[in-house]
Amino acid sequence: MSRQLEYRIAILRDKLEYLGEEFCTFEEQKLAALADFPPLNYCCYPSVPDKYIVPREDGWMPSEEAIAVMEELAEHVGDYWMKRILGFYRRYPRPVVAKMIARMLHRNAHAELVDLLNKKLRDEAAVYPRRSFGKETDKRYMGLIKWVKKRQKELKLQGRESILLREEPFVSVKDGVDFQVYLLIWKKGLVNRKVKVERYKLSVVGDEQMCMAV
């Protein structure tokens, strides 16, 4: 889950930097600061090859804005132990502390904080109009979403919680378009909360389509 969060936060930061504040909600601007929070950025969870990472002067140094956002989330869910550790991290921003916090974010004790961050990212993305890739392509894509939601309901009946995430292309190309849908399925262990990822891909090329579970 942390790798997925890193990926989504990095995209949000890119959106803010390249398009500007007028294209981001106030909450998105706050959340984009987490790109400078090593326990959730490429330092601990590189989601892309090194050649695609924009080099920073000191990637292991957290920003004050990032720590403040995490403290606000911890306060909201009543995670005072995490808030205390964040205060320590502010005073001693060492890689070893960052890695410790990264491990903590996998634990059941801090699951509410991670869930709140995930919810905020989803809620902010939901304020924008749904993009269209053409009537027929939209119909096929919604068919995939409907199928994955059915799978999600089946899991819920088994007592297994999950989160549905969509990955859409930035632009449609003449040759075709690819969509990916992820189902993140929670599994609660004795100490850590693990996640199993099911990935579904839809490729639409002209009048043809291919759908697969990966």
Side-chain angles (χ1 to χ4, degrees):
M1 184 61 180
S2 296
R3 194 176 298 276
Q4 279 283 342
L5 287 173
E6 187 278 333
Y7 179 65
R8 292 156 67 194
I9 290 168
I11 290 177
L12 183 55
R13 166 60 72 85
D14 287 345
K15 174 185 172 184
L16 177 61
E17 290 186 345
Y18 288 103
L19 297 181
E21 294 182 357
E22 62 270 29
F23 289 91
C24 298
T25 66
F26 175 73
E27 191 68 26
E28 281 181 320
Q29 294 176 46
K30 287 176 57 178
L31 294 173
L34 293 178
D36 294 322
F37 187 68
L40 280 175
N41 72 13
Y42 64 90
C43 291
C44 290
Y45 295 100
S47 61
V48 296
D50 291 343
K51 64 180 179 179
Y52 296 118
I53 295 176
V54 178
R56 301 183 186 275
E57 186 174 343
D58 186 356
W60 284 102
M61 179 61 65
S63 69
E64 172 57 32
E65 293 81 1
I67 293 180
V69 169
M70 289 300 294
E71 286 179 328
E72 184 179 322
L73 294 172
E75 176 75 27
H76 186 85
V77 299
D79 192 341
Y80 299 112
W81 175 240
M82 176 62 77
K83 190 174 180 181
R84 184 176 178 181
I85 296 299
L86 289 167
F88 178 81
Y89 186 37
R90 178 183 281 109
R91 296 192 298 276
Y92 302 99
R94 306 288 190 267
V96 65
V97 183
K99 292 176 182 179
M100 179 183 71
I101 294 174
R103 289 193 297 270
M104 291 174 66
L105 292 173
H106 286 276
R107 293 177 183 166
N108 298 322
H110 308 289
E112 285 189 67
L113 190 158
V114 174
D115 289 346
L116 177 61
L117 173 55
N118 181 67
K119 182 178 184 301
K120 282 182 174 290
L121 288 167
R122 284 188 296 151
D123 288 350
E124 293 308 308
V127 305
Y128 299 101
R130 177 62 59 190
R131 298 171 64 203
S132 175
F133 297 87
K135 185 176 180 180
E136 190 59 35
T137 298
D138 289 347
K139 181 179 178 180
R140 296 173 181 177
Y141 181 38
M142 287 301 104
L144 173 62
I145 296 295
K146 184 178 179 180
W147 191 91
V148 178
K149 285 185 175 180
K150 180 181 177 181
R151 164 70 172 152
Q152 192 175 28
K153 288 181 179 178
E154 292 172 351
L155 289 168
K156 191 171 183 63
L157 290 174
Q158 299 171 17
R160 304 174 69 186
E161 295 297 327
S162 61
I163 296 174
L164 188 154
L165 296 177
R166 311 181 188 196
E167 183 179 319
E168 300 174 353
F170 288 107
V171 293
S172 58
V173 295
K174 192 172 184 180
D175 294 337
V177 62
D178 293 333
F179 302 93
Q180 296 195 80
V181 179
Y182 300 89
L183 201 55
L184 279 60
I185 307 168
W186 296 118
K187 182 179 179 181
K188 190 174 182 180
L190 292 176
V191 177
N192 293 327
R193 186 172 66 158
K194 300 179 182 180
V195 62
K196 175 185 176 183
V197 180
E198 292 183 356
R199 181 161 66 97
Y200 303 89
K201 181 178 180 181
L202 172 67
S203 296
V204 179
V205 182
D207 294 330
E208 299 181 359
Q209 73 174 51
M210 180 175 64
C211 183
M212 66 181 76
V214 183

